[in-house]
Amino acid sequence: MRILTATKFLAATTGALLLATGTAYALGDDKPAAPSQALIAHTGDVEIDHNAPVITRENILIHAPLHTIWKIQTDVEKWPAWQPNVVSVVKDTPGRLRPGSAFRWTTEGLNITSTVRQVDPGKRLAWGGPAQGITAVHVWTFTPTAHGVLVHTEESWTGAPVEANQAALQAALDNSLHNWVNNLKHEAETRSGYSITRP
């Protein structure tokens, strides 16, 4: 499969976080680099880098209560139970996710650490960080509608490795976020007892 090949190639050549990952810096780094200005919202919401060479956006309507969706998404230590590509997650910061919280996780043979940049409970969640020359920002928003909860996610990648492998990285990130939102939908609807036969 072409996307899987691109993901494996990228993981081998850049060590960047790819399939079903948010954003991270490699655990092998002694110390994370200072976050870029794109990761920090001095006022207002954290945003992706809208000028990044690789940007992916996904929307999905989930037929489940907002509190169920939020709990699944923010209970990072339980991601492996519903995200097939996430092997393990360990929170470095105890308690609920909040700005500055960090968690380490393993996916596709990569060990990464993500830092939370924004938490607006039930509405917005953002995390990010640098990874071997790639700076990523991942933002989630949750909007209740008459038919369910509209979950929107977007992620940007910048840096020299992205520019060198833009097509492969774009394909990998597209695949990653597509899988993530569909897995989230399946898990939330299963937990809430939603049946796909309903209108």
Side-chain angles (χ1 to χ4, degrees):
M1 182 179 197
R2 188 168 287 164
I3 290 175
L4 182 59
T5 300
T7 302
K8 287 183 178 178
F9 170 76
L10 182 63
T13 58
T14 68
L17 174 63
L18 293 178
L19 192 59
T21 66
T23 53
Y25 55 84
L27 285 177
D29 297 343
D30 293 331
K31 180 176 168 184
S36 73
Q37 290 303 309
L39 295 177
I40 302 173
H42 298 289
T43 58
D45 290 327
V46 172
E47 297 285 343
I48 64 167
D49 183 341
H50 295 284
N51 297 314
V54 169
I55 295 174
T56 297
R57 294 179 176 90
E58 282 278 343
N59 291 297
I60 200 161
L61 185 65
I62 301 179
H63 303 283
L66 174 60
H67 66 85
T68 299
I69 300 166
W70 182 260
K71 179 173 174 44
I72 292 167
Q73 181 69 354
T74 59
D75 192 356
V76 297
E77 290 176 303
K78 292 192 178 165
W79 283 355
W82 59 274
Q83 285 286 11
N85 294 308
V86 177
V87 176
S88 65
V89 183
V90 176
K91 283 168 47 175
D92 289 339
T93 311
R96 292 184 179 179
L97 294 185
R98 58 194 180 277
S101 294
F103 53 94
R104 292 174 288 121
W105 48 330
T106 301
T107 183
E108 293 295 305
L110 300 173
N111 297 318
I112 51 227
T113 299
S114 294
T115 301
V116 176
R117 301 298 177 196
Q118 181 180 7
V119 178
D120 188 352
K123 296 179 182 177
R124 191 175 183 89
L125 177 64
W127 64 70
Q132 295 185 346
I134 296 175
T135 298
V137 184
H138 197 166
V139 177
W140 294 83
T141 57
F142 305 82
T143 307
T145 74
H147 304 289
V149 176
L150 180 64
V151 176
H152 174 77
T153 188
E154 52 189 49
E155 184 167 1
S156 62
W157 285 356
T158 58
V162 180
E163 296 189 13
N165 296 292
Q166 186 173 351
L169 282 160
Q170 185 68 65
L173 186 56
D174 289 349
N175 191 51
S176 170
L177 294 192
H178 178 78
N179 289 339
W180 191 293
V181 297
N182 280 285
N183 289 336
L184 178 60
K185 176 181 174 72
H186 180 266
E187 181 67 14
E189 291 180 355
T190 299
R191 286 195 197 184
S192 65
Y194 177 80
S195 168
I196 59 171
T197 60
R198 292 182 188 175

